Amino acid sequence: MKRAFDVVTAGLLIVLLSPLLTALALLVRRRLGSPVLFRQIRPGLNGAPFQLVKFRTMTDARGPNGELFPDAERLPAFGRFLRSTSLDELPELWNVLKGDMSLVGPRPLLMQYLPLYSPRQARRHEVRPGVTGWAQVNGRNALSWDEKFELDVWYLDNRSFWLDMKILFLTLKKVITREGITGAGTATVENFKGN
């Protein structure tokens, strides 16, 4: 039932939002350059890698030595707007349609975090990662890593169709109020360094 709901809803949203997706792609191309989409390998169900797609929010600004500037210096106002409204996440609907992701589940993090998880934290990979999740509607990036992982595990132990509906509703509310977008004192979120 969850997979059927994901496919129908993601497919419908892609069709309905296609004018917005096209407009955003053109704006990203004009304001941030090419490529329009940010692609990164992330761990999915059972930790299997997949390619996540989002709208690009940062520039490729580099210092004299060729290294990328810190996130805060590469995140222009337009990129912050995309993140604060979660519009940068819309291309993930393709990941949902393909079966890499679900609409609701623990957010897919970075591949390099896999060996850093405790066995309890690693349980987050027992389900497909989500475009949104229980941690996102309960604090998002304003939470500590431990708090996020505990909320992910709580979701695994309590997941149901009705809980997913509640999370989707609360996500709309969070997007409108733009709460918890960044971690304290960072432009994005602090890296997970293990336990």
Side-chain angles (χ1 to χ4, degrees), residues 24-25 32 34 43 45 47 50 56 61-62 65 69 93 99 104 109 119 150 155 157 175:
L24 287 171
L32 300 173
S34 194
L45 181 63
F50 74 96
R56 177 183 184 168
R62 296 175 184 269
N65 58 0
F69 284 132
L93 292 170
V104 177
L109 300 176
E150 281 305 308
Y155 171 78
D157 293 336
V175 167

Side-chain angles (χ1 to χ4, degrees), residues 106-160:
R107 284 291 296 161
L109 300 176
L110 300 176
M111 292 298 292
Q112 64 252 34
Y113 294 171
L114 286 176
L116 304 177
Y117 296 136
S118 69
R120 180 173 174 80
Q121 293 166 345
R123 288 192 59 210
R124 66 194 322 279
H125 298 293
E126 291 175 11
V127 294
R128 284 185 180 92
V131 175
T132 186
W134 190 235
Q136 281 59 54
V137 299
N138 282 287
R140 203 173 172 183
N141 290 331
L143 298 171
S144 70
W145 283 111
D146 285 341
E147 289 169 323
K148 287 181 201 177
F149 294 141
E150 281 305 308
L151 290 167
D152 288 341
V153 173
W154 185 92
Y155 171 78
L156 292 172
D157 293 336
N158 294 277
R159 64 189 185 271
S160 69

Side-chain angles (χ1 to χ4, degrees), residues 70-134:
D71 289 354
E73 295 178 43
R74 297 189 298 119
L75 186 63
F78 180 64
R80 283 195 300 275
F81 168 76
L82 290 177
R83 286 179 179 229
S84 70
T85 56
S86 296
L87 290 170
D88 64 317
E89 309 281 355
L90 289 178
E92 289 172 29
L93 292 170
W94 289 109
N95 288 120
V96 174
L97 208 54
K98 286 170 52 186
D100 297 326
M101 294 177 69
S102 177
L103 290 172
V104 177
R107 284 291 296 161
L109 300 176
L110 300 176
M111 292 298 292
Q112 64 252 34
Y113 294 171
L114 286 176
L116 304 177
Y117 296 136
S118 69
R120 180 173 174 80
Q121 293 166 345
R123 288 192 59 210
R124 66 194 322 279
H125 298 293
E126 291 175 11
V127 294
R128 284 185 180 92
V131 175
T132 186
W134 190 235

